[in-house]
Amino acid sequence: MRQTVDMAHETRQEARARITGELMAAARRQLAEVGAAGLSLREVAREIGMVSSAVYRYVESRDELLTRLIIESYDALGATAERASAAAAAASPDADLDRWVATAHAIRRWSLDHPHEHLLLYGSPVPGYAAPEDTIGPATRVTFALVGIVGDAAAAGRLAPPAGPPADVSPEFANELATLAAVIEHDVLAIPDTALAVLTAWTQMFGLIGFEITNQTRNMVMDHTALFDATVRRLAHHLGLR
Amino acid sequence: MRQTVDMAHETRQEARARITGELMAAARRQLAEVGAAGLSLREVAREIGMVSSAVYRYVESRDELLTRLIIESYDALGATAERASAAAAAASPDADLDRWVATAHAIRRWSLDHPHEHLLLYGSPVPGYAAPEDTIGPATRVTFALVGIVGDAAAAGRLAPPAGPPADVSPEFANELATLAAVIEHDVLAIPDTALAVLTAWTQMFGLIGFEITNQTRNMVMDHTALFDATVRRLAHHLGLR
DNA sequence: TGTACATCAGTGAACGCGCGTTCACTGATGTAC
DNA sequence: TGTACATCAGTGAACGCGCGTTCACTGATGTAC
């Protein structure tokens, strides 16, 4: 059932690349069906018409397969966010708030379309699996896409100052938030109130998406899109985006 | 190794109750170690010194055990929140904001102390397991504890009106939020802006806790308690609590 | 262009494992008279 | 209070299952001369 398109004069390297691709695609399909904890090497092998031991030519172990899936998922989500952010910026360069909201909707859309991939990234850890360091880098991509919007607004002098009295944080914690700004490499976050507002908007956004995916809001809300839009928009406004 | 305390003149009924308790305790211990997806009936049986088939005298199936654990966990979390809320109200009856924040900290504390139980409730679904209807009721207990604080503040006339311009929501969505108020049986939520603010505060709170548990904020924040306090406090303020 | 050898993809059998669940049984606890 | 029967907790063997991983193998693709 595999595509027969020019498999004939394929070099070994090409075949390897193609089959690796098919294998990962099958793994993603299976992940989408049964979730990460239920993912099985044997089943993946079956799906691409291979004997179970053959997948070891392409993947070191089940753990490595999971790691690859995690990285791919972070990248897919990150790319989605970046695309949405760029498109919004191109369409209407100084509408920072709309850009933030559009990016948020793209993130939500991706998550609802790929619930098990979202859960692989943000849900329960897979029993017996410990994510290696390689997964940290890709993880920051979405976050950077969001923070970048705030950074751009600030750089253009369009970021409104925090409303209300300054947050009552200890000097140590203010200091820590400043360090975070350095890590993130965005001085916007150097203002404690802005840093807090970004962290608030970020966690609320992912919190609501998570609730939606795991059905916590069933019987409570019908129009999830409207709720998401309203809450995200409000927090983006609080954070100074216009 | 079981307690021998008056096991001698125990009635059958008493023994059944005690052993069921031991069984659930063992299941909870195992859940805490390996997580819900890794929970095994046989291992639970082993831990209480029984042959695997014997646990079927106490539990219908693995699924039923999971259901019971879910209900117990929701109840434990709900009770924790209620206790914290009541204690804060008793200590300082009109400090609504502090009461909210104290309750939030209690919820977070419980979650950090019982990460796998938190994930059982709010994390990835267990493969092959579908939660039955019985788990919905207990699930609302925490939510009610929080909403109750806002309700009490409003009833006492202490809830500040929403600051800023009213949220720009469609009539249909405003309507839906009103319906939600009826379901929750708290008219506070009849004001769309307040309802939105409550939903925002609620999802941010659980979002941040989830991020902490699954380690999303590693390398970004050190003092998680300070971050949690600052963000939760701010959103509680926005929602009108003082 | 042709041959000799090395590399590599995929096979099939096997390993040892742990799981949920069923079933016929034994022996102890409870109940009716 | 004593006996006869019914209920129930726990046993031990067995079922069928799917899993991850290893290993010696075959045959095809690539490479050096």
Side-chain angles (χ1 to χ4, degrees):
Chain A
M1 290 300 173
R2 297 198 203 143
Q3 296 95 319
T4 52
V5 195
D6 68 14
M7 273 174 53
H9 14 77
E10 227 181 6
T11 170
R12 233 184 213 169
Q13 215 189 128
E14 288 165 347
R16 182 156 244 283
R18 178 177 52 81
I19 294 177
T20 307
E22 289 175 14
L23 192 150
M24 293 306 296
R28 260 195 321 273
R29 270 196 302 279
Q30 220 212 308
L31 172 63
E33 263 178 50
V34 298
L39 189 100
S40 137
L41 265 191
R42 290 186 104 111
E43 183 57 38
V44 171
R46 247 171 261 133
E47 199 176 320
I48 57 173
M50 255 182 190
V51 100
S52 71
S53 54
V55 317
Y56 285 88
R57 299 277 169 213
Y58 298 92
V59 128
E60 223 180 35
S61 63
R62 191 184 105 112
D63 279 14
E64 203 222 319
L65 179 60
L66 274 174
T67 302
R68 286 214 219 166
L69 284 172
I70 290 175
I71 292 174
E72 277 194 8
S73 299
Y74 271 129
D75 269 330
L77 175 58
T80 300
E82 284 164 10
R83 262 197 310 276
S85 172
S92 178
D94 50 1
D96 304 309
L97 198 157
D98 286 341
R99 188 181 172 200
W100 173 280
V101 173
T103 307
H105 275 291
I107 292 172
R108 170 171 178 264
R109 192 69 267 149
W110 185 90
S111 299
L112 296 182
D113 288 344
H114 308 84
H116 277 118
E117 292 183 53
H118 175 99
L119 288 169
L120 174 63
L121 306 180
Y122 301 104
S124 318
V126 182
Y129 169 79
E133 293 294 311
D134 330 18
T135 60
I136 298 183
T140 56
R141 209 168 146 186
V142 214
T143 318
F144 270 64
L146 285 168
V147 175
I149 296 172
V150 185
D152 288 354
R158 288 191 304 262
L159 193 70
D168 178 24
V169 298
S170 72
E172 296 85 32
F173 185 53
N175 225 342
E176 193 190 306
L177 289 173
T179 319
L180 173 62
V183 173
I184 299 277
E185 288 173 16
H186 262 105
D187 350 318
V188 219
L189 298 189
I191 307 154
D193 280 281
T194 304
L196 275 181
V198 169
L199 288 165
T200 302
W202 178 51
T203 50
Q204 191 273 331
M205 188 172 126
F206 280 81
L208 181 49
I209 293 174
F211 270 16
E212 269 193 70
I213 290 183
T214 59
N215 235 330
Q216 296 291 333
T217 45
R218 87 199 126 197
N219 303 334
M220 283 203 184
V221 193
M222 324 256 78
D223 190 345
H224 281 95
T225 307
L227 174 62
F228 185 79
D229 191 273
T231 54
V232 163
R233 190 171 290 276
R234 178 151 281 223
L235 289 187
H237 189 271
H238 282 152
L239 117 75
L241 294 174
R242 298 295 124 89
Chain B
M1 288 300 170
R2 298 198 202 142
Q3 296 95 318
T4 52
V5 193
D6 69 12
M7 274 172 53
H9 16 75
E10 227 180 9
T11 169
R12 231 184 214 168
Q13 214 188 131
E14 286 165 350
R16 182 157 243 283
R18 177 176 52 81
I19 295 177
T20 306
E22 288 175 16
L23 191 150
M24 292 307 297
R28 260 195 320 273
R29 271 196 303 277
Q30 220 212 308
L31 173 64
E33 263 178 50
V34 297
L39 189 100
S40 138
L41 266 190
R42 291 187 102 111
E43 183 58 39
V44 170
R46 246 170 262 133
E47 199 177 319
I48 58 172
M50 258 183 189
V51 100
S52 72
S53 54
V55 317
Y56 285 88
R57 299 277 170 214
Y58 297 93
V59 128
E60 224 180 34
S61 63
R62 192 186 105 111
D63 279 14
E64 203 223 318
L65 179 61
L66 275 174
T67 301
R68 285 213 219 166
L69 284 172
I70 290 176
I71 293 174
E72 276 193 7
S73 299
Y74 271 128
D75 269 331
L77 175 58
T80 301
E82 285 164 9
R83 261 198 310 276
S85 172
S92 178
D94 50 1
D96 304 309
L97 199 157
D98 286 341
R99 188 181 171 200
W100 174 279
V101 174
T103 306
H105 275 290
I107 291 172
R108 171 172 177 265
R109 192 68 268 150
W110 184 90
S111 298
L112 296 182
D113 287 345
H114 307 85
H116 277 118
E117 293 183 52
H118 175 99
L119 288 169
L120 175 63
L121 305 180
Y122 301 104
S124 318
V126 181
Y129 169 80
E133 292 295 311
D134 331 18
T135 61
I136 298 183
T140 56
R141 211 169 144 185
V142 215
T143 317
F144 271 65
L146 286 168
V147 174
I149 296 172
V150 185
D152 288 355
R158 289 190 305 262
L159 193 70
D168 179 24
V169 298
S170 72
E172 295 84 32
F173 185 53
N175 225 342
E176 193 190 307
L177 290 173
T179 319
L180 173 62
V183 173
I184 299 278
E185 289 173 15
H186 263 106
D187 351 318
V188 220
L189 298 189
I191 306 155
D193 280 282
T194 304
L196 274 182
V198 169
L199 288 164
T200 302
W202 178 50
T203 50
Q204 190 273 331
M205 187 172 128
F206 279 81
L208 182 49
I209 293 175
F211 270 15
E212 271 193 69
I213 289 183
T214 59
N215 236 330
Q216 296 290 332
T217 45
R218 85 198 127 198
N219 302 335
M220 283 202 183
V221 192
M222 323 256 80
D223 190 346
H224 281 95
T225 305
L227 174 62
F228 185 79
D229 192 273
T231 55
V232 164
R233 190 172 290 276
R234 178 150 280 223
L235 289 187
H237 189 270
H238 282 153
L239 118 77
L241 295 174
R242 297 293 124 87

